[in-house]
Amino acid sequence: MRAYLMMGLSLILAGLLSACGGGDGESGIQPADLPLAKTRFTVTVDLPAGLMTAQQRNSWQLISKAYAATTTLTQDNFAIIFLNAQGKAMGQGEITNFQQTDGNYIIEARSPLLLQGVLVLNLEEPPQFSIGDELPTNLLMTPLTDTEIALSLKTTLAYRALIKRVVRDGNWGIFIETVSEPANIDVRDAGDFINELADELAVTLIPKLGLNGVSLSNLMSLTVVNDILEGIMTRKYTELTAQKDQIQTVFNAGFWRLRSQRSLTGSTLEADMMDFNSPDTATNETRQIDWRWHKNGDSEISLAEEFRYLSEQGLVQFDQKENAIQGKILTSGGWKDLYDYFQVLISSSSTAIMTDAGLAESDSRNITMRVNSYPLSGQRMHDFLTTKENHFMTRYVPDDATFAEGSTGYYFTWNPETTRMLLCSTDVNGDECSVSPRDNPGVPYTTLEDLVSVAGSGSIEQVNGYHLTDNVVLEFVFNNTHQVNYWVNIGGDDWVVVEDGLWSPVTTQGIQMFQFTVPDVIKQLANHYPFDTPYLFLVVDQGAVHQGQAVLKDSDFHFAGFNNAAKEQIYAVASRDNLPPFGDCDFGDTTPATEDQFLNAVTECGGDETFTTDSVNALADQHLVQISTELGELEAVILRSDKTWDYYLNTVLQPGSDNREWALDELGFLRLTEDRHNTFSDYALWAVTHKKYDARPLWAIKTFSQTDLGGANQTEISHLMTKEYAPDTLVACTTSDSGWNSSTQMPATARTKTEFDNQSTSCIVSWEGRTPRFTQNMLAGMALTFAGDSSRHLVLNPQADTQAGFNTGRYTDADGCGFDIPIRWKLEADGTLYYENAMAQSEIDAVFSNGAKRFPTGDFQEWIKVSDTDGLKLTIKGFNHFTRWESASPALSTTQGEMWSDIVTLIPAASAPSVSVQSPTDAPQPGSPFPGTVLRDGLSCNLTPPPTTP
């Protein structure tokens, strides 16, 4: 104890130095005199394979140094730093011995166990820091609160959340006594706090982050990281300093627990109310009502009652709730079903005795409940919506929203009066807790003996065990000591035995079990440790081996709640209107890139939308149209129900549809693979960041693409907008069309070029800065076919015309006698297609030589502008003018002509049918030589062959 007191005194003196003349690098602060006591720390380093600690890097390397560093770390990569009373660097501890063993590092240092002592790591170079400054954001860290410690991303985030709070407050707050007089038990309790915080961050924050190819400093700059770190610490501080309250009063008034979730099945917000001695009943009844908002399109948040539990009416109503059974509990009568509902048996002012809804009082599996409360008025709502259960809700609540008067938060503490052996439900979702061989996860063990090995394995490939989590495997060995080996996937690349322990075969109430304890260091290393306690067991139930947990008698467990006023205030401001505005988000757009960087970009840009199983299936056969804002390039993707997909470029189907494959992954990303038979195939990931609901929905998408360039992959993060069109629903915009007068062979209503310019612009369907238009790449070498007359084609060759600025082309009709007229064409600046006859006046008169009753002779001009597109077809607005109309009766001016509309499809120019021009056999029908209105399809043939092209 003397050594600890000396250290405490040194730290206090250093804190006074900081307060008097230090801070932010001032030279007045000197390292404290350290005691001579040495401590031997066993350190396991477990970091994401691609995470970097370099603050500056000129370019991202495809093969990251990070994992190599975790297996070849030297003493120079580590440092021990002591923090002062304000949470800033005060001095450096001496590492007196350093060894590397399989999966661990043994570090001896001149330091006792300390909350304010921190082991830091830089993967690429010796850690750099300045006395008097905050710890740099490029250092991984964990406090020296135990002799066996794990250094991981979640411990780094948890400890940084604490020291950020210390720096903000200028003191260690709830841990002042732990820092000033660091007794072992208090320091270990503080370590437990950090570990619990790390476990919570592993659920609420880390799944939202991409890590591969990302530097730790950049990670710490993300909005979501800073919001959750600040919020979770504010909530923890408040809960731990809450004042004891009368639980009977709280229960009678009722309290609320909020939950939220997002998965491949969709998003929900929940509010569950529980009360006791309900005022609307004559008996002491426990009542629980579950309210839900299931996201449905763009519907606003509105809670609806989904389920009601009334204790006096037994379990009848549970039949109405899907998956009501949450697990099983071992009683004297064997395994009994557990429900996620409680019944209050008796309550006093300070405590309540409760039991699970599925149990009777005679089962002796009661729970004692207490409550502390804290005022919420003026507190930021986001800070109290950071729990595992409700952190998804923050997206709907304004960042600066605070609680008003009358709002209260509750911190409930419950402990069982007897040890509870809890088992996952083996009837509903039983696969979640079944135990299978490591190398055959689809087939559960059927007997406990199947798990046991005669001797320990030398490598993970020979392990006869099972996955506790995806990165922890348990191996049970019968070697006279009943050893259990804890294999951990360190750094995502190598399995090593980090810890070992003991397992024991026991019989509890006539049921055979294997019981064991999970060491703290394994809990710290585990990804998403699935239990509340380290005390686990294995048991055979329903013909398979399952794992469960033992909740020990008198062990404290906690959960948070709100009074009705706080719940009402939260939902009063919760709205989809609080989501980021719909639009392009270029955050994270870069090349080269990694999928993990992509996840960060999606997290930063995301609203409440994600691809779900139902939403993706509903997209089958829909046209997902994209228009480039810079080049006007037109793309379309069509997902087919057989998991293939079509790709159209400028309305033309690209080959390879049978080999393309799409799939929805567990993160809600749509994966579009170019060649499912080629492991190096190009692919793209699509993630929804927003969706605008309309008759034709608009999707804002973040994309990650990989292109195989001869073995060298090019990767890029970008964004796009895609508009959803149902097939065969494209309709031309016919507003202000001229119509055709067959008796005069002229437009029924003359329109001017100015009217066309205005009306064609009005007809354009633009969205989010994307405007459909013709482009040179789209038209050159293609032919337009017209819905109004499928026999006619406007062939647009890429060859230059004799007249500068034009290309050559032909206007043909393969019906009847046919015609084939040479034209010249070009694109105007706004994407309007302009073409005119490339024949002399006499030549065109010869082609259309049947006088006023047949066709209008003379030079002609035509303008065509795109109005809309479904990615396969285009609606167009057109305007034409014939010089003959200038001398007709009634005469049209040079600016007047016909306005018309149609739907066109593009085909390769070579696919346009050849035209054999013949003499007519029947009298020609009225009509116009150009496509457009229904009256434009009366042409049967030409009276004379067309001349050769000039």
Side-chain angles (χ1 to χ4, degrees), residues 11 14-19 22-23 29 82-91 116 132-133 166 172 179:
L11 294 173
L16 292 175
L17 283 172
S18 175
I29 302 176
F82 300 110
L83 305 182
N84 65 13
Q86 288 76 43
K88 299 180 179 180
M90 177 187 70
Q116 68 272 34
D133 285 353
V166 173
W172 283 83
V179 170

Side-chain angles (χ1 to χ4, degrees), residues 683-701:
Y683 73 94
L685 297 177
W686 283 16
V688 184
T689 56
H690 292 85
K691 181 180 178 182
K692 183 180 289 186
Y693 290 83
D694 205 342
R696 289 176 174 148
L698 191 58
W699 302 74
I701 304 291

Side-chain angles (χ1 to χ4, degrees), residues 660-679:
R660 295 192 190 100
E661 184 176 54
W662 66 266
L664 182 64
D665 70 15
E666 65 277 4
L667 294 176
F669 296 164
L670 182 63
R671 187 181 185 93
L672 302 171
T673 305
E674 282 287 347
D675 184 356
R676 56 184 164 184
H677 305 295
N678 179 4
T679 56

Side-chain angles (χ1 to χ4, degrees), residues 742-758:
S742 58
S743 63
T744 63
Q745 298 295 306
M746 292 179 63
T749 303
R751 302 294 184 188
T752 65
K753 178 63 166 53
T754 300
E755 288 178 306
F756 164 74
D757 291 337
N758 294 335

